């Protein structure tokens, strides 16, 4: 049995602890063991009736973390894998690590943040979530991305294709990649950001979109652009005319191009 001293070293209230037959620990409340210079979790947690925060340590493994909790935060560690992490949680944050695979991640959660890691694909990640953030990785493929989500952010990666992107999505940000077209994008989207890529064509762009930003690319044509939107941004391209531009738009920015006329 774990002694009170061992549990209190982590700043836990022993009155909220239940020690199970296998010596794993249930806790009625939030567990915050962040910034304690830990290289491993010294106890085996089981069910946490609250949040679990083990961020800002030197963890190389999630062994010892709970099976269930509300919000799970293991950001800013030295993790390369999500093996042994919780399988049931509302929010999961594993950002700012060295993770190369999402195998072991929960299959569903409300919010999933795996930003600032070393991922090349999203295999093993949750297939059902509200918000999914995977920007600032080494992604060359979106294989494994959720099919449906509210907000999907994959900017600042090495993507050359949107194949595998969510097909039902409210907001999608794929800016700062190496895309040359938008094949694989959802057909409808509220906000779509594809700025700072290498786009030479908008083929595959959403047909319906509220706000669309394709600034700072290599576009010479707006063919395949959404035809009705609230805001359309296409500045810093190589456009010589506006053929293919939206027919209805409240805000339209085509500055810093090579326009010789405004036809279109």
């Amino acid at each position: 049995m774990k002694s009170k001293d061992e549990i209190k070293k982590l700043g836990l209230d022993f009155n909220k602890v239940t020690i199970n037959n296998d010596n794993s620990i249930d806790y009625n409340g939030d567990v915050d063991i962040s910034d304690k210079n830990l290289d491993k979790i010294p106890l085996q947690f089981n069910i946490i009736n609250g949040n679990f925060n083990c961020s800002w340590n030197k963890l190389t493994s999630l062994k010892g973390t709970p099976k269930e909790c509300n919000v799970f935060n293991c950001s800013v560690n030295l993790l390369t894998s999500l093996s042994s992490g919780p399988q049931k949680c509302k929010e999961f944050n594993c950002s700012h690590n060295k993770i190369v695979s999402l195998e072991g991640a929960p299959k569903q959660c409300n919010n999933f943040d795996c930003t600032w890691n070393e991922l090349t694909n999203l295999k093993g990640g949750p297939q059902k979530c509200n918000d999914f953030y995977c920007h600032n990785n080494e992604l060359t493929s979106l294989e494994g991305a959720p099919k449906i989500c509210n907000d999907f952010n994959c900017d600042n990666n090495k993507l050359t294709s949107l194949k595998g992107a969510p097909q039902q999505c409210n907001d999608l940000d794929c800016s700062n990649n190496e895309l040359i077209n938008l094949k694989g994008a959802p057909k409808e989207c509220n906000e779509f950001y594809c700025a700072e890529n290498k786009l030479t064509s908008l083929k595959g762009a959403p047909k319906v979109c509220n706000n669309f930003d394709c600034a700072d690319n290599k576009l010479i044509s707006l063919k395949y652009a959404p035809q009705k939107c609230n805001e359309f941004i296409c500045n810093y391209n190589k456009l010589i005319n506006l053929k293919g531009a939206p027919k209805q738009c409240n805000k339209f920015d085509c500055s810093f191009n090579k326009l010789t006329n405004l036809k279109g």
Side-chain angles (χ1 to χ4, degrees):
M1 180 177 289
K2 305 294 182 183
S3 69
K4 288 186 178 181
D5 287 343
E6 288 177 306
I7 291 171
K8 286 184 176 179
K9 280 180 182 178
L10 294 179
L12 304 180
D13 183 348
F14 197 79
N15 293 320
K16 298 181 179 180
V17 171
T18 299
I19 300 178
N20 301 308
N21 291 335
D22 61 357
N23 278 339
S24 66
I25 290 174
D26 295 343
Y27 194 79
N28 188 26
D30 294 339
V31 173
D32 187 350
I33 54 175
S34 62
D35 200 16
K36 291 186 179 294
N37 205 35
L38 299 173
D39 57 11
K40 65 179 180 179
I41 305 291
L43 302 171
Q44 178 59 61
F45 291 93
N46 185 43
I47 308 297
I48 305 299
N49 186 24
N51 304 329
F52 189 93
N53 186 354
C54 57
S55 62
W56 290 92
N57 281 296
K58 297 178 180 179
L59 300 176
T60 57
S61 168
L62 291 180
K63 187 176 181 180
T65 57
K67 294 179 180 177
E68 296 182 21
C69 61
N70 289 334
V71 176
F72 181 78
N73 187 349
C74 62
S75 61
V76 197
N77 276 288
L78 301 174
L79 299 168
T80 58
S81 166
L82 296 180
S83 178
S84 301
Q87 290 303 297
K88 188 176 181 180
C89 59
K90 293 179 180 178
E91 297 183 15
F92 191 102
N93 184 348
C94 58
S95 63
H96 293 86
N97 276 284
K98 298 183 177 183
I99 296 166
V100 296
S101 170
L102 294 183
E103 297 292 342
K107 297 306 177 188
Q108 66 179 70
C109 59
N110 288 343
N111 301 322
F112 187 83
D113 185 345
C114 58
T115 59
W116 296 95
N117 276 289
E118 298 177 9
L119 297 167
T120 57
N121 62 62
L122 301 175
K123 293 178 184 178
Q127 290 303 290
K128 186 177 180 181
C129 63
N130 188 44
D131 297 333
F132 191 105
Y133 304 112
C134 54
H135 57 80
N136 292 92
N137 273 282
E138 302 291 327
L139 294 175
T140 57
S141 168
L142 292 179
E143 185 178 1
K147 302 303 181 187
I148 301 173
C149 66
N150 178 56
D151 188 356
F152 184 83
N153 189 328
C154 60
D155 80 284
N156 203 19
N157 277 287
K158 297 179 179 179
L159 296 169
T160 57
S161 168
L162 290 180
K163 183 179 180 181
Q167 292 305 292
Q168 293 185 42
C169 188
N170 191 44
D171 300 338
L172 192 150
D173 187 346
C174 57
S175 54
N176 286 288
N177 276 285
E178 299 176 13
L179 301 171
I180 58 173
N181 61 54
L182 299 175
K183 293 179 182 179
K187 303 301 181 187
E188 296 185 17
C189 202
N190 180 49
E191 296 186 358
F192 190 92
Y193 302 97
C194 55
E196 297 183 75
N197 274 282
K198 298 179 180 180
L199 294 174
T200 57
S201 169
L202 293 180
K203 191 169 186 177
K207 301 296 183 184
V208 179
C209 191
N210 190 37
N211 297 331
F212 186 90
D213 186 347
C214 59
D216 202 1
N217 276 286
K218 298 181 179 181
L219 295 169
I220 59 173
S221 168
L222 293 179
K223 186 179 180 181
Y224 304 114
Q227 291 302 291
K228 184 178 179 181
C229 60
N230 181 50
E231 293 186 5
F232 188 95
I233 311 298
C234 58
N235 56 347
Y236 291 100
N237 275 285
K238 297 181 179 181
L239 300 171
I240 56 175
N241 61 53
L242 297 179
K243 291 181 180 179
K247 302 302 181 186
Q248 295 182 14
C249 195
N250 289 331
K251 178 182 177 181
F252 187 88
D253 185 350
C254 58
S255 58
F256 298 99
N257 274 284
K258 297 182 178 182
L259 294 170
T260 57
N261 61 68
L262 296 180
K263 289 182 179 180

